[in-house]
Amino acid sequence: MTGIVNTAQAEAWNGYEGRHWAAHAERYDAVNEGFNEILFDAAGIGARDRVLDIGCGNGQVTRLAAVRAALGDATGVDLSGPMLATARARAAEEGVANVVFEQGDVQVFPFGEAAFDVALSRFAVMFFADPVAAFANVRHALRPGGRLAFLCMTELAGTDLGAVFGALAPFLPMPTGEDGTGPTSFADPARIRSVLTEAGFRDVLCTRVEADQVWGSDVSDAAGFIAGWGPVKFHLDQAGADAADGAREALSAALRPFEGPGGVRLRGTAWSVTASVAR
């Protein structure tokens, strides 16, 4: 593995968090894959493109990108050894040969200059130690005229997920932190434009998009899955027994209105962001 500057995230993604995501790859893809076509439409991958997937995780987006770039290739980079092992196994199972997965920190990874035509990411750019430096490294990895497309979380206030996590507030801290921090660190499009512009990108466009996110087959299934997600599990483990029990009951109650024949579906919101490199 190449050098790591984002040591806190590396520890999390090679510890419980990464193992949980790897063990529940299908579950996490069910939460996020409703946004896939939005991402691919924004990326505009061509048959001969060389594609970089930033924070590829279990590799679903990388593999789908490789299929679109049938005469090119796709490279996924992530901090998490457990998730990359899953990504490689899935690529082999699916027979996707024009894909490679590398363990490393995108902020300092030695991609090589102009190595890619397109860089994309599904909900993984919000955790860089130094966002400007990380995106500058991605820009150097793109050819002149290259394209960047990614999805990031909006603010949680006023969203379905915000309502569910808000129900935990009497018992636990907000698992994602306050809006504008942690997973929602790019919730403000003005910050997105500022970071990308400082990193050397141009033509930055932020579009608010929505998609259904499937969190479980029923309330019990969804509540158990969310309770096992790293940030929620951490706070449950730190809480007393009464608070933890209250949080689990509140979580189930908050999910119940979203239960239907197709499982527990929340309407997710995201920023679809595109930018380009000068020719």
Side-chain angles (χ1 to χ4, degrees):
M1 181 168 60
T2 59
I4 298 294
V5 295
N6 201 348
T7 54
Q9 290 295 324
E11 181 178 353
W13 292 109
N14 286 289
Y16 173 83
E17 188 82 359
R19 292 193 300 270
H20 192 266
W21 278 69
H24 298 88
E26 293 88 353
R27 300 290 299 264
Y28 283 109
D29 283 338
V31 171
N32 291 322
E33 66 189 2
F35 288 96
N36 283 356
E37 289 308 312
I38 294 170
L39 178 62
F40 287 123
D41 285 348
I45 297 170
R48 298 183 182 277
D49 279 343
R50 301 159 298 166
V51 183
L52 170 63
D53 184 8
I54 303 164
C56 65
N58 291 311
Q60 185 191 56
V61 167
T62 325
R63 300 192 304 274
L64 292 173
V67 171
R68 285 162 171 77
L71 302 178
D73 55 59
T75 298
V77 178
D78 202 281
L79 289 167
S80 176
M83 296 173 77
L84 289 169
T86 297
R88 294 182 183 112
R90 297 294 168 82
E93 291 167 5
E94 297 168 10
V96 183
N98 61 331
V99 66
V100 63
F101 294 99
E102 300 280 1
Q103 187 173 11
D105 187 332
V106 168
Q107 183 174 324
V108 294
F109 194 89
F111 294 113
E113 191 164 353
F116 299 98
D117 302 292
V118 185
L120 77 171
S121 182
R122 187 182 72 183
F123 299 115
V125 301
M126 301 91 71
F127 306 104
F128 292 134
D130 183 336
V132 173
F135 279 114
N137 196 36
V138 171
R139 179 179 59 80
H140 285 299
L142 288 168
R143 64 164 173 80
R147 307 179 302 284
L148 170 68
F150 65 81
L151 294 162
C152 59
M153 290 180 66
T154 67
E155 75 289 342
L156 287 176
T159 69
D160 289 353
L161 188 59
V164 170
F165 284 159
L168 300 176
F171 309 98
L172 304 176
M174 187 66 146
T176 57
E178 299 300 319
D179 274 356
T181 65
T184 60
S185 61
F186 278 169
D188 182 357
R191 180 167 190 256
I192 297 171
R193 287 189 287 268
S194 175
V195 167
L196 293 182
T197 300
E198 189 174 349
F201 283 95
R202 56 188 290 178
D203 305 321
V204 181
L205 178 64
C206 304
T207 305
R208 191 179 179 94
V209 295
E210 296 185 358
D212 282 346
Q213 297 182 295
V214 181
W215 287 87
S217 58
D218 57 27
V219 165
S220 177
D221 183 45
F225 175 54
I226 293 173
W229 177 55
V232 177
K233 182 179 185 300
F234 173 81
H235 290 304
L236 284 171
D237 289 347
Q238 301 301 308
D242 289 345
D245 288 345
R248 290 188 176 93
E249 291 175 7
L251 177 60
S252 294
L255 289 169
R256 196 157 289 116
F258 300 102
E259 184 181 36
V264 177
R265 292 177 177 268
L266 277 62
R267 191 65 176 168
T269 62
W271 290 112
S272 172
V273 181
T274 55
S276 63
V277 178
R279 294 185 179 277

